[in-house]
């Protein structure tokens, strides 16, 4: 996959009201490739999961920065990277298991990663304790006429 | 955005409106739990027809209400699911916890209470 045909980057503080901002920003940016409604819903849901994780888990007791990058490639593959400089994940394989959560209080289901995996084509998680976490999501959307 | 509560006897219906994410779920959860307690509910119906977006925070909301209703020896019903919400529910296998129905009708009763609570979002 060569160079992106379009890309954007936005940095925002880890406030829960920005979960909505992140979803709407991604869907607004992607409007130029005119994705199908259900594909866009999948992408918005996955973005919401990753951003919420930065807010809830990455920065549990402080407000930190979240970076959201979106790239679109010639073949209409969308690649989204969501990263924080928060506490990091100790054991990524365990964290990604369905129903695993370190915060069962506040009704966490432990299904965020399961949702990202089932709604996107690819997911890659990089994390370092005390340094932060980066989640890269990829999905090929149906090629339609570009606006 | 928020929750519209309609109570008929020991049946509480909560119509969820707008996006359900970690930000909005907090307040929705509080409003529902207060209504369940105040009406000593034996059945809780969650109406999703007004939901425009939902992530795993919505699944957590449903699972949490399932626990609440279990403790009260009551029942949880999920109704009027839009297609895209159904897809999120499927990841969680919610059908094992709650009865999922296309539609429902509240029992008719003299004393009916309708309360509307707006959440800030
Ligand atoms: N950005 C992050 N920083 C630190 N820990 C994380 C991060 N993202 C995920 N985790 C860890 O991975 C676990 C699983 O995440 P996942 O999103 O699957 O479930 P959850 O957030 O706990 O619950 P849900 O998403 O269903 O509300 C979390 O409980 C947390 O311990
Ligand atoms: Mg999560």
């Amino acid at each position: 996959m060569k160079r992106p045909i379009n890309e954007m980057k936005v940095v925002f503080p880890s406030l829960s009201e920005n979960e909505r901002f992140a979803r709407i920003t991604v869907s607004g940016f992607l409007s130029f490739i005119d994705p199908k409604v259900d594909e866009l819903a999948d992408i918005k849901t996955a973005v919401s999961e990753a951003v919420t994780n930065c807010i809830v888990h990455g920065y549990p007791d402080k407000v930190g920065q979240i970076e959201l990058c979106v790239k679109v490639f010639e073949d209409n593959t969308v690649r989204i990277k969501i990263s924080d400089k928060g506490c990091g994940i100790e054991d990524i394989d365990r964290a990604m298991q369905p129903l695993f959560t370190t915060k069962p209080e506040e009704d966490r289901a432990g299904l965020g990663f399961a949702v990202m995996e089932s709604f996107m084509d690819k997911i890659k998680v990089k994390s370092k304790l005390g340094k932060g976490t980066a989640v890269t999501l990829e999905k090929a959307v149906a090629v339609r006429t570009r606006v | 955005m928020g929750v519209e509560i309609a109570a008929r006897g020991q049946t509480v219906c909560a119509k969820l409106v707008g996006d359900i994410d970690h930000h909005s779920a907090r307040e929705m959860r509080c409003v529902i739990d207060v209504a369940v307690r105040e009406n000593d509910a034996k059945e809780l119906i969650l109406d999703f027809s007004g939901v425009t977006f939902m992530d795993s925070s919505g699944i957590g909301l449903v699972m949490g209400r399932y626990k609440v209703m279990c403790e009260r020896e009551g029942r949880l019903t999920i109704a009027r699911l839009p297609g895209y919400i159904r897809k999120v529910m499927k990841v969680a296998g919610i059908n094992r916890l709650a009865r999922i129905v296309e539609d429902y009708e509240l029992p008719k009763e003299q004393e009916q209470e309708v309360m509307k609570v707006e959440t800030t979002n």
Side-chain angles (χ1 to χ4, degrees), chain A residues 49 53 57-58 84 88-89 95 100-102 108-113 133, chain B residues 56:
Chain A
E49 296 294 354
N53 279 351
H57 306 293
D84 65 64
I89 301 175
F100 177 84
T101 179
T102 47
R108 306 245 65 89
L111 288 170
F113 278 125
T133 303
Chain B
S56 67

